[in-house]
Amino acid sequence: MASGFFALLDDIGVLMDDVASMAKVSTKKTAGILGDDLAVNAEKASGFVSSREIPVLWAITKGSFINKLIILPVAFLLSAFFPVAVTVILVLGGIYLAYEGAEKVYEYLVPHHHSSAIEDKGGMSPSEIVALEKSKIKSAVVTDFILSVEIVIIALGSVMGIPLLNQILVVSIVALIATVGVYGIVALIVRMDDFGYSLINFNDKDKSISDFFGHLLVNALPWVIRSLGVIGTIALLLVAGGIFVHNLDILHHWLESWPSLLREFTVGVIFGFVALLVIKGIKMLVGLLKK
């Protein structure tokens, strides 16, 4: 009896070791989307009154957990009973990621007018402010859902062919890391300026060490968010290119002599701008038909 118990513990230990190794690989493969997820949510969670930033971020985090609870069972059912669907969703998601990355590059390279509405929160009633918060939270949760689907499918795609229990453990760990890690870092980012102001007001000296670091944090926040946006865009194109290269047989040997990163980025850019042209063409056609 005792030997059977210790054998069971040994089997569990081996399983956990395998799961940890595979989770590490899967997390690396989803890192590109996590970077974009971080940039998107840092932007969406900022711009509120200081006292409301953390409650708003917590509401988005709870929505992200609910998204994962919806997505994970569906993904595992597809993996168990219709595995080809995982590859199809993976490629379709790659097209979406490539399109999103190409659209960001296009918006940067081709300046064009953005319709914007300046929100005068000072003249808004409490009920209007609450409605605005709910609207932004809903938008952030919807965006998180799309990115969560990609994170889960990419993680699942990296562990296809192994026992279902291992798949469930690995992908669930990656999903948990994605939620806790991303929103934990976002919480630190959106509070950078508040911590900076606290350092500035720490004493009355103008050129103290706390004053220097306080101004550094306050001034760095916009640059951090912009940098995350750039890194996230590059990562989106790399992740998308990797999906196409590894899942489309026709691309397995294309540009094979190129370094893998350059190859995947090039493929991501090509697919992204083709998708961008198709979407813009469809929008133009729909606009013409409506006239």
Side-chain angles (χ1 to χ4, degrees):
M1 180 69 71
S3 61
F5 175 74
F6 285 113
L8 175 62
L9 288 180
D10 184 61
D11 289 342
I12 293 173
V14 172
L15 174 63
M16 289 299 101
D17 185 57
D18 290 342
V19 167
S21 300
M22 288 182 287
K24 184 178 179 181
V25 173
S26 297
T27 303
K28 284 183 179 179
K29 291 191 175 184
T30 60
I33 302 179
L34 293 179
D36 189 63
D37 200 4
L38 182 62
V40 169
N41 285 294
E43 185 177 357
K44 287 184 179 292
S46 59
F48 295 96
V49 178
S50 177
S51 61
R52 296 297 304 158
E53 284 178 340
I54 296 301
V56 166
L57 185 58
W58 175 237
I60 297 172
T61 305
K62 287 188 291 185
S64 179
F65 274 116
I66 293 171
N67 285 341
K68 304 295 192 305
L69 290 175
I70 295 170
I71 295 166
L72 285 171
V74 175
F76 296 140
L77 287 172
L78 288 176
S79 176
F81 299 107
F82 195 34
V84 69
V86 175
T87 302
V88 172
I89 294 172
L90 193 60
V91 172
L92 291 175
I95 293 172
Y96 168 78
L97 294 175
Y99 164 76
E100 189 180 8
E103 186 180 38
K104 290 180 179 180
V105 173
Y106 173 78
E107 288 180 355
Y108 177 78
L109 295 177
V110 183
H112 50 287
H113 175 71
H114 289 275
S115 58
S116 59
I118 299 171
E119 296 161 0
D120 183 12
K121 293 178 183 170
M124 297 175 68
S125 66
S127 60
E128 289 174 329
I129 293 174
V130 170
L132 177 63
E133 278 190 9
K134 288 182 177 179
S135 174
K136 288 194 172 185
I137 290 169
K138 182 179 179 181
S139 172
V141 171
V142 170
T143 301
D144 176 272
F145 185 87
I146 296 170
L147 293 172
S148 293
V149 168
E150 287 309 302
I151 290 169
V152 169
I153 293 299
I154 289 175
L156 190 58
S158 69
V159 293
M160 292 293 288
I162 68 172
L164 183 60
L165 175 60
N166 293 42
Q167 291 184 27
I168 292 172
L169 291 173
V170 170
V171 178
S172 297
I173 289 171
V174 172
L176 183 63
I177 291 172
T179 304
V180 175
V182 166
Y183 289 101
I185 295 173
V186 170
L188 293 176
I189 291 173
V190 299
R191 301 300 288 182
M192 269 180 62
D193 53 349
D194 291 307
F195 184 58
Y197 285 124
S198 298
L199 289 176
I200 292 170
N201 297 324
F202 184 72
N203 56 52
D204 296 330
K205 296 179 181 179
D206 289 335
K207 294 185 179 180
S208 63
I209 295 176
S210 62
D211 192 64
F212 170 78
F213 282 107
H215 284 291
L216 181 64
L217 289 174
V218 171
N219 294 328
L221 179 58
W223 290 97
V224 169
I225 294 178
R226 288 194 196 101
S227 299
L228 285 172
V230 173
I231 294 169
T233 300
I234 294 171
L236 281 175
L237 294 169
L238 279 172
V239 170
I243 289 172
F244 299 134
V245 168
H246 297 298
N247 290 279
L248 298 178
D249 292 337
I250 194 172
L251 295 176
H252 278 337
H253 303 292
W254 192 65
L255 301 177
E256 199 170 16
S257 61
W258 287 26
S260 60
L261 282 178
L262 181 59
R263 178 189 179 196
E264 290 173 4
F265 182 76
T266 303
V267 171
V269 169
I270 291 172
F271 272 80
F273 276 95
V274 169
L276 182 66
L277 288 173
V278 170
I279 295 297
K280 285 192 171 293
I282 292 172
K283 287 181 178 178
M284 288 178 61
L285 182 61
V286 171
L288 291 172
L289 291 175
K290 285 183 177 180
K291 290 181 179 180

